[in-house]
Amino acid sequence: MAKKSKRGTGRPGSDRAERVAARKARQAEASAAPTRPFAGLAAECDLVALRSFVASATASITVHGDGVGTNSVKLATILPGAVQALTRDVDGATEGLVALQTEFDTAADVAGEIASALRWASQAAGGDPYVASSEAEGDTAAGIADLAATLGADTDLDITLHDDFTWWFADQADVTTEIAAMIEQASTSIMPTARIPGGLSGAPWWVDAGERAHLRWVRPESEDDVMSALARMHAAGKLTLGEGSKFAGSFRTHGLLVPVFDLDNEMHPDEWTTPCATFEADLVAALAETGDLTGEQRRSRDGIRGRQVTLR
């Protein structure tokens, strides 16, 4: 007689059925996520960068709206324990911190949950545990509008980059040996990072990965438009930042396309400002072209897409 299978049968209550149901629920929630959760915000591209790949950074902001408290508030890349938000006492005043690199309860309403966390951080007492209370309740459009009103649609982020995670604890005297070791371990993952200056559109970020540096440029235009423009530039031999650079590919995240270049890491980030300005001028010209792609341009587009990945 054949042995009875020990795997779940798929019946309600079986382990396998629960795993399948959970996976389908996650897939359904992911498919409901807004294409651009930060659409309409002046800081959209930097918010995407801080949520997707910048390791250790903070940005002081002003929280707007009714029921807002008097705490100073900062957006942060990630917080201890990957919590969504926390408050702490700093020099006799309360400061709130809201993380962008965390898993939110409702994937379809990331913007609404961030807005809710910002309001909470502005008024909670120091040390209080964060309790989510998004009024948007999963309504994507309402959540995006909520964040625009709470953060300020025209707000540009004044970002402070950190070489480590010591900023997690305002009073280093209270840091135990175990916590210090945890901070040191977390800090080893941080690579030298800078935002390319010069008033360029979108969010161009430089990072030194060791043997080479990279430029990750979050673009504000639609993904399809940027992809077509890159294809036109590639076919024309203009998909480059000049000497010391090589186009490495692109990735998609939060509804935006991010071209990536490998760079000579002997060059300082500021030295890439002029090459980036030249590239952007060529990109803007390519974006302005509205005709169908030529055969060569389509082959370029297919090659670029073939190396594309999606982060979120």
Side-chain angles (χ1 to χ4, degrees), residues 145-166:
D146 190 13
L147 182 59
T150 304
L151 181 63
D154 297 328
T155 297
D156 288 316
L157 299 184
D158 184 9
I159 299 169
T160 300
L161 291 166
H162 303 275
D163 296 329
D164 53 34
F165 288 106
T166 56

Side-chain angles (χ1 to χ4, degrees), residues 79-214:
L79 294 172
V83 298
Q84 289 187 18
L86 58 81
T87 53
R88 62 190 185 184
D89 293 325
V90 180
D91 297 328
T94 302
E95 177 184 66
L97 293 167
V98 174
L100 293 171
Q101 291 180 25
T102 186
E103 294 299 324
F104 293 92
D105 292 337
T106 308
D109 190 24
V110 169
E113 290 204 39
I114 292 174
S116 175
L118 288 172
R119 286 191 295 273
W120 175 89
S122 76
Q123 58 187 311
D128 279 359
Y130 172 61
V131 178
S133 58
S134 175
E135 289 83 354
E137 296 182 351
D139 185 330
T140 297
I144 294 175
D146 190 13
L147 182 59
T150 304
L151 181 63
D154 297 328
T155 297
D156 288 316
L157 299 184
D158 184 9
I159 299 169
T160 300
L161 291 166
H162 303 275
D163 296 329
D164 53 34
F165 288 106
T166 56
W167 57 269
W168 276 352
F169 298 91
D171 188 351
Q172 294 301 305
D174 294 336
V175 175
T176 64
T177 302
E178 291 77 10
I179 291 177
M182 179 267 292
I183 293 174
E184 183 177 0
Q185 181 178 6
S187 298
T188 59
S189 65
I190 300 175
M191 295 180 287
T193 303
R195 197 183 189 286
I196 301 295
L200 300 162
S201 62
W205 283 85
W206 172 95
V207 59
D208 186 350
E211 293 184 1
R212 67 187 67 183
H214 304 291

Side-chain angles (χ1 to χ4, degrees), residues 15 18 48 64 72 76 80 89 127 131 134 238 242 264 280 307:
D15 290 343
E18 291 174 358
V48 168
H64 305 275
S72 63
D89 293 325
V131 178
S134 175
K238 294 183 177 181
D264 179 358
E280 182 165 63
R307 292 181 290 168

